[in-house]
Amino acid sequence: MKNHLTYKNIEAFVFKLWEREVSEEPISEKEKELLTKWRIRTEKDLDTVHRKESRERILSGLEHYFPQSDIISIHSVTRFKTNLYKIAAVIILLLSLEGIFTYTMFIKPDVYLAKSENRIVHLEDGSVVTLLPGAELTVVKSFPASTRVVDLKGDAIFSVAKSKVHPFVVRADGFSTKVLGTVFKISQSGKKKAVDLYEGKVAVSSPGVPVSFLKPNQKWTNFGIAHTTAVISISPVKNSAGKVSSILSLSFNDVPLKEVVTVLESSYNTKVLYPKDAEDKKITADFTGGTVGENIESLAFILGLEVQKKENTYILKK
């Protein structure tokens, strides 16, 4: 089979070979080889159960063609059944070809990949996705449905068409973002995940931590730590191009103390010392709206430790 043949011509060619085979007309060795290769190619994606069900469904539909009279010889019935199976084999081949075509045209998801440059993808609902280099977007053929769902690998900026009844969900690596219509950016770098909201509202969910609801100029992140979530407010600095950030909420669910301290130190630009034998103790806490001092006091209470402060350092001790 030559690669330059169109799908339609290949299908017609193979059908002719198969027709000759079931009619017991002579077929050359080369033609038998081509027919065998095509059968393997078309059936490789169909499991045993699928093929069995297809044969049974076809034969069931042809049952009324079997001779019903008792005076017909056993030889006639056997021969008719043999021919019927051959006819069914041809039909199954065509169903296989149609199934592959149907899967490609109507079931197989569309995959968009941004290689070395940004790539803009216009979705059927009017939403626009800007894929950053290395990102991959997968969209099912049923999109848009009652819930508009896409899958994302890498980083992308979404401008989602507004709909009060059809939520838009981006499933990323280990978390998802749900919106009704807004502009936001998803960033994924190793274990570190983030969502930056520019317009509208979004809900970000991740296993093991509460759902976070963002407003414009807010950011969700997990700091690269499992079962950790934070909402950060990002505000512009007056008379400057810079921005200042502040933590609005911070949650940990069964997270080792050493990782909790790492987040607190980086978030509040401070230093926290604690007993070495407590570094692997699992912490579950929700620090919302508190200052750095209040949050560390809460952490000490959970550990049953005292707090002592020296300049910009907090010391947790027994």
Side-chain angles (χ1 to χ4, degrees), residues 306-318:
E306 299 292 332
V307 181
Q308 182 180 356
K309 182 181 180 183
K310 290 184 178 180
E311 297 181 350
N312 197 39
T313 300
Y314 290 87
I315 304 172
L316 307 183
K317 59 183 181 180
K318 298 179 181 179

Side-chain angles (χ1 to χ4, degrees), residues 151-162:
D151 292 275
L152 174 69
K153 295 179 181 178
D155 304 346
I157 299 174
F158 291 80
S159 179
V160 177
K162 293 183 179 181

Side-chain angles (χ1 to χ4, degrees), residues 109-242:
D110 294 320
V111 179
Y112 305 91
L113 177 64
K115 295 182 179 179
S116 58
E117 299 179 348
N118 290 355
R119 179 176 180 179
I120 297 177
V121 180
H122 295 268
L123 301 180
E124 288 190 18
D125 68 333
S127 299
V128 179
V129 184
T130 302
L131 298 176
L132 304 186
E136 179 181 298
L137 182 72
T138 301
V139 184
V140 296
K141 282 291 196 298
S142 60
F143 183 96
S146 57
T147 298
R148 300 171 288 173
V149 180
V150 299
D151 292 275
L152 174 69
K153 295 179 181 178
D155 304 346
I157 299 174
F158 291 80
S159 179
V160 177
K162 293 183 179 181
S163 173
K164 293 182 178 180
V165 294
H166 299 298
F168 191 104
V169 178
V170 181
R171 296 186 299 204
D173 184 13
F175 69 104
S176 63
T177 305
K178 181 178 179 180
V179 302
L180 294 176
T182 186
V183 179
F184 61 96
K185 177 183 178 181
I186 291 179
S187 304
Q188 304 181 80
S189 178
K191 295 181 179 180
K192 188 174 183 179
K193 317 297 179 182
V195 178
D196 290 270
L197 179 61
Y198 306 122
E199 296 178 10
K201 297 179 180 179
V202 302
V204 185
S205 59
S206 181
V209 291
V211 176
S212 298
F213 299 92
L214 303 185
K215 296 179 180 179
N217 299 317
Q218 291 182 353
K219 177 177 184 175
W220 173 92
T221 182
N222 70 345
F223 296 104
I225 301 173
H227 300 166
T228 300
T229 183
V231 175
I232 302 171
S233 175
I234 302 175
S235 305
V237 178
K238 291 183 178 181
N239 302 321
S240 173

